[in-house]
Amino acid sequence: MAILAGYISLTKQPDSEVIRQLSRAFAGYPAKHLQRFSCPHGVLLQYDFDAYHQPAWLQDDSQIATLIGHPLLTHDREADLATLAHAAANRSQVLQDCEGVFCLAHFDRQQRQLTIATDPLGLRPFYWMPYQNGYLFSSQLSLFKQLKLPLTTHSDALCELATLGYTLLDHTPYTEVRCAYPGEIITISTAGFHSERYFDWTALASQPVPFEEALRGVDQAFKQVFAKTTQGTEKALTTLSGGLDSRLIASELLRRKLPFKAFNFSQRQSQDLDCARIFAEQNQIDLEVIQVRDTQAHSVEQKIGHYWRRIAHPDYGSVSRPQLAWSGNGGSVGMGLIYFSDKVYRAAKTQNLETLIHAYLEQQFAYLPQSVVNHARLLQDRLTDNLKLAFEPLLSLPLEKAYQLFLFLNDQHHHLSLPAEHIADYQMEFFHPFYSWKVLQYPLSQPVEEVRKHAFYHAWLKHSYPKALKAPWQAYPGHLPCPIALENSASSQSQWQFKRRQLVPLHDILSNWLTVIRFSRHNLIKKAPFTLLCLMHLLGIKNALTQLNTAKQFTQW
């Protein structure tokens, strides 16, 4: 599984040039991993590098169905696709039972109807646009730029990416292209375009569960995800950092007595490395340490793809599905509420949305630098307006609960988007137990004050995984501390102590500068002041990392 794309025109002749461009875009992938469906109404293409060792392409005389990721209705991905394909009458209900990370495309040849759907959090979204009497859609945003379509800049989206790190609503960097929402079904037929949400997160967040029952519930749900994802696996692959999320993944694999290989990507003399090593030694884990210069420069997906798959690793053949790993992504936000500072919490308790948005922007340092961005104040006001729009569907909840859900449906909704853009390069897929809605429903069921600062998370670990708490871990600043002292802690740093300004290589700054100078799609960056700031940063006169990152976000699309 990797990339899906297609172009459908049901009322007029499809544009043959669009189909040719799509076909050329997929021509670079190995033929053995390509699937193609063509009909008088358009084309559907899939690139699948077989990470799951199960196909996801169903085609017969009446329909064509395919997906990327795994719905996790059951352990069997192929069977799940068949269930979704044949569920025309109750597809919304079947989709509600899915707890995996995936997106689905289905074309009913007899009814001439295309259906595309995202998982409940939209973690593997579809991007789509009306074009040439039809609709163009893809699981990869960069494909639209690759097709050399007439795209214009969506300045609101660029502002959101530069300040928040993700886009709001259905925004993308291109005005013409939209992103599917979490839990959305889009239907395109001769009757036109129709969209609906099949998953009601607000209703789920409105269902309180007693604390002890929630602890038992989250534990059972987490273990059920593993029961599905580990079936038939003789040896697994995962990561092990100094934090709790990857440790919990490892702890459940240990509980199941399932052998696994673990990687740690950390800097020298870091608490991340020390904590991971101690836990690995206590539990006889096969841990391989890869020292990196900057832990934030690349995603964990990219790092595993490079060090595990590209470099012929001697253990590669021993893992049952070597292009499929277990990931702790989502745990710190969904279970630990790391973006819920005291100031944000107090603002939310006022039940005043403007007060909360102001506190959130301040917490995230989400402000455009006027020194390098044209119309920065106007764009900043637009950011506030779009945040209000993103909160609107959630305002039937108390504001502190609405904010908790806002993080799920916005920050986490886009958390895998950037790694997915490069999936053809690193060719790895991941199971994400913390993103299962059946797991997330339990921290959502609790009062926010019982979940913040890892409180619910720690209670769950003490209840079900006490052995995971016997080694020191790297706690988030301001959250419940680790009670176990780390030996030689004075000689190692936490991930929040490393100074990233010193980690930006000279060639990256020069490359960023050159991209900005050559960029012509919009004039939102002040090129002369940006040039001066680059020079001052290189000379050590000023830390211009914020301005450098802002310019990069404004020009990379």
Side-chain angles (χ1 to χ4, degrees):
M1 181 298 351
I3 302 168
L4 279 179
Y7 168 65
I8 294 291
S9 178
L10 297 174
T11 56
K12 294 186 178 181
Q13 183 74 16
D15 189 304
S16 58
E17 179 57 27
V18 176
I19 294 175
R20 278 195 293 270
Q21 287 189 49
L22 265 178
S23 300
R24 283 198 296 268
F26 277 73
Y29 301 127
K32 65 178 181 179
H33 294 318
L34 285 180
Q35 294 281 4
R36 177 190 174 102
F37 166 74
S38 298
C39 71
H41 307 292
V43 65
L44 178 63
L45 296 152
Q46 181 210 53
Y47 165 57
D48 186 342
F49 48 78
D50 197 28
Y52 293 92
H53 290 185
Q54 282 188 312
W57 185 269
L58 187 157
Q59 183 174 353
D60 57 35
D61 292 340
S62 64
Q63 65 182 339
I64 168 69
T66 184
L67 56 79
I68 60 176
H70 197 322
L72 290 181
L73 278 168
T74 67
H75 75 280
D76 191 324
R77 182 173 179 247
E78 192 173 7
D80 287 0
L81 176 60
T83 300
L84 288 164
H86 292 100
N90 63 335
R91 187 168 288 126
S92 293
Q93 183 177 351
V94 176
L95 282 165
Q96 288 176 26
D97 290 333
C98 297
E99 58 176 322
V101 174
F102 72 98
C103 57
L104 167 78
H106 177 268
F107 183 66
D108 187 319
R109 302 173 72 173
Q110 296 175 341
Q111 298 296 323
R112 290 199 296 166
Q113 177 173 290
L114 172 71
T115 302
I116 57 178
T118 62
D119 60 69
L121 278 176
L123 290 153
R124 296 301 295 268
F126 272 115
Y127 304 95
W128 59 273
M129 66 179 289
Y131 188 68
Q132 298 293 75
N133 303 314
Y135 287 87
L136 183 63
F137 59 94
S138 172
S139 61
Q140 191 175 49
L141 178 59
S142 56
L143 180 67
F144 293 88
K145 181 179 178 181
Q146 186 179 346
L147 296 178
K148 301 187 184 305
L149 301 172
L151 302 174
T152 56
T153 295
H154 195 317
S155 57
D156 285 5
L158 295 184
C159 173
E160 291 153 11
L161 286 168
T163 55
L164 304 176
Y166 57 86
T167 57
L168 297 167
L169 307 168
D170 61 354
H171 295 171
T172 77
Y174 311 114
T175 306
E176 297 79 8
V177 182
R178 300 181 185 181
C179 178
Y181 284 97
E184 183 175 22
I185 302 178
I186 294 172
T187 304
I188 300 167
S189 67
T190 53
F193 178 96
H194 177 73
S195 170
E196 66 178 273
R197 310 282 185 88
Y198 68 82
F199 200 91
D200 190 342
W201 281 97
T202 303
L204 191 67
S206 303
Q207 301 173 14
V209 176
F211 187 78
E212 293 297 326
E213 183 181 333
L215 288 182
R216 293 191 296 271
V218 72
D219 189 57
Q220 182 180 12
F222 191 75
K223 288 177 169 63
Q224 286 177 343
V225 176
F226 271 84
K228 294 177 184 179
T229 57
T230 59
Q231 187 159 330
T233 300
E234 296 181 359
K235 185 175 181 180
L237 177 69
T238 189
T239 59
L240 182 62
S241 70
L244 290 176
D245 303 335
S246 61
R247 181 176 297 188
L248 184 51
I249 299 292
S251 295
E252 178 58 20
L253 292 172
L254 287 167
R255 192 190 72 84
R256 292 179 174 274
K257 297 180 171 56
L258 181 62
F260 62 94
K261 173 78 177 180
F263 280 101
N264 172 275
F265 301 96
S266 57
Q267 295 170 250
R268 297 177 187 273
Q269 296 182 321
S270 66
Q271 292 179 16
D272 185 88
L273 176 57
D274 293 343
C275 293
R277 275 180 169 161
I278 293 170
F279 181 75
E281 289 169 2
Q282 287 184 357
N283 295 278
Q284 294 81 51
I285 293 172
D286 177 11
L287 178 65
E288 183 168 338
V289 176
I290 305 294
Q291 292 188 335
V292 295
R293 190 169 182 268
D294 182 357
T295 58
Q296 305 300 313
H298 301 285
S299 69
V300 67
E301 292 85 357
Q302 291 170 312
K303 285 181 282 195
I304 287 185
H306 177 74
Y307 289 103
W308 172 248
R309 194 190 65 80
R310 285 190 179 180
I311 299 172
H313 197 283
D315 293 337
Y316 189 87
S318 69
V319 171
S320 301
R321 290 177 286 186
Q323 289 175 274
L324 182 60
W326 277 254
S327 169
N329 258 332
S332 59
V333 175
M335 301 298 302
L337 294 193
I338 59 169
Y339 298 134
F340 222 130
S341 67
D342 289 343
K343 189 167 185 177
V344 166
Y345 177 67
R346 289 193 297 269
K349 292 296 283 184
T350 68
Q351 304 304 317
N352 183 294
L353 181 57
E354 288 193 6
T355 302
L356 172 60
I357 288 174
H358 176 75
Y360 176 60
L361 292 173
E362 188 174 273
Q363 172 188 263
Q364 302 303 111
F365 303 101
Y367 301 106
L368 290 173
Q370 297 183 38
S371 58
V372 295
V373 178
N374 284 311
H375 317 298
R377 289 184 180 178
L378 175 62
L379 290 172
Q380 194 73 40
D381 289 342
R382 290 287 303 153
L383 174 62
T384 299
D385 291 341
N386 286 323
L387 281 166
K388 291 177 182 178
L389 290 174
F391 268 98
E392 270 187 12
L394 314 176
L395 293 181
S396 61
L397 299 167
L399 195 53
E400 67 273 18
K401 182 60 64 176
Y403 175 70
Q404 182 184 10
L405 191 51
F406 166 84
L407 292 176
F408 288 7
L409 301 180
N410 292 273
D411 176 275
Q412 293 301 280
H413 164 44
H414 290 291
H415 193 67
L416 304 180
S417 298
L418 184 58
E421 289 296 307
H422 304 284
I423 196 168
D425 298 326
Y426 60 78
Q427 294 186 20
M428 292 290 302
E429 279 292 339
F430 294 83
F431 284 127
H432 297 280
F434 286 108
Y435 284 133
S436 163
W437 72 263
K438 296 180 181 180
V439 172
L440 289 173
Q441 66 179 317
Y442 293 103
L444 265 180
S445 74
Q446 299 303 296
V448 166
E449 52 269 24
E450 300 293 335
V451 184
R452 286 181 63 234
K453 301 185 177 183
H454 281 75
F456 182 77
Y457 202 161
H458 279 214
W460 172 29
L461 291 173
K462 290 176 183 177
H463 177 273
S464 303
Y465 296 93
K467 196 173 180 180
L469 301 177
K470 291 185 177 180
W473 64 88
Q474 191 172 223
Y476 281 85
H479 283 232
L480 292 179
C482 173
I484 305 172
L486 182 64
E487 294 182 14
N488 302 319
S489 60
S491 62
S492 61
Q493 299 183 74
S494 73
Q495 68 184 63
W496 300 280
Q497 293 172 306
F498 286 102
K499 297 181 179 179
R500 292 209 67 210
R501 184 179 69 86
Q502 301 170 353
L503 301 175
V504 182
L506 172 62
H507 65 82
D508 285 357
I509 296 175
L510 293 176
S511 176
N512 192 1
W513 173 79
L514 193 59
T515 298
V516 170
I517 295 303
R518 292 176 172 174
F519 195 83
S520 60
R521 180 175 289 125
H522 60 70
N523 63 348
L524 293 172
I525 297 297
K526 301 175 181 178
K527 295 183 179 181
F530 177 72
T531 299
L532 179 60
L533 283 167
C534 286
L535 182 60
M536 295 173 69
H537 185 89
L538 288 172
L539 294 174
I541 299 172
K542 179 179 176 61
N543 182 350
L545 186 59
T546 298
Q547 292 88 341
L548 288 169
N549 287 337
T550 298
K552 183 176 181 180
Q553 289 289 354
F554 268 71
T555 55
Q556 70 174 339
W557 296 102

